[in-house]
């Protein structure tokens, strides 16, 4: 899918009309937001202020736990509010960005009306709004916002360009996963406008000691079977670690599927990754979990959470083991033949590493 100027112009005009006579816009992003959600909301907030007198606010649930994302918000001066503190009656216009009403990964109440939805995830059957722009073919929601800047010929501040550059890179694994020509065009547009100094600080931040402890635990707990890898992180300080570890393990040359899990409070988070194109990872994770509301994704990436009724360590471990076997069976392996073995052997550095 390439950029369709007529479509973007038509949808932008509808957005512009929705701003008429409005005073306050609430932009809601998903819980534990990733760079794409944050950057898209940041860009929409800026554009709203440029083309109208409407005052925008950005709200999120959960936490911003990944170090890179924390640095991104801090260094780029992105103002965010906790959604639990939001008084909805204050806002006469509400937008959901990089998520949809009832998706399970946001705390937006279904009793409230959503006016605008911008997303690149598959459309839910019950998604309703006055303006819906959902383009699953895109690798990132931020690409839609870049098209609006270009449509208006609106100068893009360096901080917004930096946020979107990082978002596009993060969401598509440096333009190597589920990237669309429109995403590539958007990246080439924003990268020269970004602050390379801030981008460097965001992508290579200083890391605290607990990060290495979790990383070591994840490698120790990772098991493999054939081309599958499964890693249970146990208890984690924030949800983002699950996706980060999954993205790392899937880089193993012999692994084409990776399932990573970890729990925080009463939620078990899951991330599924594959190197195979058109693998329908989003559909697969729904089948192994048996839930269409709290998990989902794209062809090569998927994730979500399971609400834990029992948070005892033994119960959680039994659940994650069941999920790992379910994935293997779903991918065509016979359950009675599945034998997991540790990813990390005792001799972790071979004498000859040329190959």
């Amino acid at each position: 899918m390439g950029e369709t100027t007529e479509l973007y112009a038509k949808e932008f005009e509808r957005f512009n009309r929705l701003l008429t006579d409005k005073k306050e816009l609430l932009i809601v992003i998903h819980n534990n937001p990733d760079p794409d959600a944050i950057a898209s909301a940041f860009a929409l907030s800026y554009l709203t202020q440029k083309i109208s007198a409407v005052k925008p606010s950005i709200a999120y649930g959960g936490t911003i736990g990944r170090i890179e994302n924390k640095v991104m918000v801090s260094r780029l001066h992105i103002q965010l509010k906790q959604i639990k503190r939001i008084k909805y009656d204050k806002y006469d216009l509400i937008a959901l960005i990089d998520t949809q009403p009832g998706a399970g990964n946001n705390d937006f109440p279904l009793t409230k009306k959503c006016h605008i939805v911008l997303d690149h995830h598959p459309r839910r059957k019950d998604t309703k709004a006055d303006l819906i722009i959902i383009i699953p073919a895109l690798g990132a929601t931020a690409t839609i916002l870049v098209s609006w800047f270009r449509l208006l010929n609106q100068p893009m501040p360096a901080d917004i360009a930096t946020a979107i550059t990082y978002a596009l890179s993060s969401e598509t694994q440096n333009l190597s996963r589920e990237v669309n020509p429109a995403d590539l065009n958007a990246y080439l547009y924003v990268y020269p406008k970004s602050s390379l100094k801030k981008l460097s600080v965001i992508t290579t931040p200083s890391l605290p000691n607990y990060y290495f402890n979790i990383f070591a635990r994840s490698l120790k707990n990772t098991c493999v079977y054939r081309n599958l890898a499964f890693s249970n992180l146990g208890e984690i300080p924030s949800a983002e670690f699950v996706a980060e570890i999954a993205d790392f393990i899937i880089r193993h040359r012999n692994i084409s599927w990776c399932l990573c899990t970890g729990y925080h409070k009463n939620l078990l988070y899951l991330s599924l990754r594959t190197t195979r194109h058109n693998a329908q990872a989003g559909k697969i994770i729904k089948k192994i979990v048996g839930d269409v509301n709290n998990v989902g994704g794209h062809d090569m990436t998927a994730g979500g959470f399971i609400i834990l009724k029992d948070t005892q360590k033994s119960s959680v471990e039994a659940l994650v083991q069941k999920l790992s076997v379910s994935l293997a069976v779903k991918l065509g392996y016979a359950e009675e033949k599945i034998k997991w073995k540790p990813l990390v052997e005792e001799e972790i550095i071979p004498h000859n590493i040329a190959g």
Side-chain angles (χ1 to χ4, degrees), residues 25-33 37-38 41-42 45 56-62 64 78-88 91 94-97 99 105-109:
L25 167 66
L26 177 63
I27 302 171
V28 179
I29 53 181
H30 57 73
N31 296 345
N32 313 307
I38 296 170
F42 188 31
S45 175
S57 299
I58 304 172
Y60 73 100
I64 298 176
I78 304 174
Q79 300 298 315
L80 304 174
K81 299 180 179 180
Q82 268 286 344
I83 197 168
K84 61 185 177 182
R85 298 179 180 176
I86 292 297
K87 296 180 180 179
Y88 290 95
Y91 301 93
I94 297 176
L96 263 64
I97 308 298
T99 185
N105 66 344
N106 64 74
D107 289 337
F108 179 71

Side-chain angles (χ1 to χ4, degrees), residues 112-314:
K112 301 296 181 181
K113 178 176 174 58
C114 173
H115 303 88
I116 301 164
V117 174
L118 302 184
D119 197 9
H120 75 120
H121 298 92
R123 180 169 178 170
R124 293 171 53 84
K125 293 181 180 179
D126 55 354
T127 294
K128 296 179 181 179
D130 297 329
L131 172 62
I132 299 175
I133 305 178
I134 297 176
I135 310 177
L138 292 178
T141 299
T143 298
I144 300 172
L145 277 302
V146 174
S147 73
W148 282 6
F149 270 90
R150 301 184 73 170
L151 177 67
L152 295 173
N153 197 25
Q154 176 69 45
M156 182 178 289
D159 281 353
I160 291 178
T162 304
I164 295 178
T165 297
Y166 178 57
L168 289 168
S169 177
S170 174
E171 193 78 354
T172 63
Q173 286 289 287
N174 295 316
L175 304 177
S176 67
R177 180 180 68 194
E178 296 181 337
V179 67
N180 182 284
D183 302 308
L184 179 58
N185 289 335
Y187 184 88
L188 294 175
Y189 180 78
V190 297
Y191 181 79
K193 306 176 189 304
S194 64
S195 166
L196 298 186
K197 181 177 181 180
K198 289 184 178 181
L199 190 61
S200 175
V201 173
I202 292 169
T203 55
T204 56
S206 298
L207 299 171
N209 193 64
Y210 71 78
Y211 177 92
F212 297 95
N213 289 332
I214 293 176
F215 205 87
R217 186 202 308 165
S218 71
L219 292 178
K220 181 180 178 182
N221 292 350
T222 299
C223 296
V224 296
Y225 172 70
R226 298 283 186 96
N227 63 321
L228 313 181
F230 166 65
S231 183
N232 177 29
L233 307 185
E235 189 171 7
I236 51 177
S238 63
E240 291 94 332
F241 276 103
V242 175
E244 187 169 5
I245 296 301
D247 284 335
F248 177 76
I249 293 174
I250 197 62
R251 294 169 58 189
H252 192 293
R253 69 175 62 180
N254 298 326
I255 298 300
S256 58
W257 286 92
C258 174
L259 175 65
C260 187
T261 62
Y263 71 94
H264 179 68
K265 296 182 179 179
N266 70 325
L267 296 180
L268 177 71
Y269 292 97
L270 307 90
S271 279
L272 180 63
R273 299 290 187 268
T274 180
T275 59
R276 296 179 176 177
H277 297 277
N278 303 316
Q280 299 186 325
K283 292 183 178 180
I284 288 176
I285 199 170
K286 288 180 180 180
K287 291 181 178 179
I288 67 173
V289 172
D291 183 358
V292 299
N293 292 315
N294 297 328
V295 297
H298 305 278
D299 282 334
M300 300 176 70
T301 64
F305 63 88
I306 297 172
I307 300 174
L308 296 173
K309 297 179 181 179
D310 185 351
T311 57
Q312 297 234 359
K313 184 177 179 181
S314 58

Side-chain angles (χ1 to χ4, degrees), residues 15-16 19-20 22 47-56:
F15 170 70
N16 203 6
L19 296 176
T20 304
K22 300 299 189 298
L47 276 180
T48 298
Q49 295 176 81
K50 280 295 180 181
I51 65 174
S52 74
V54 176
K55 179 181 177 182

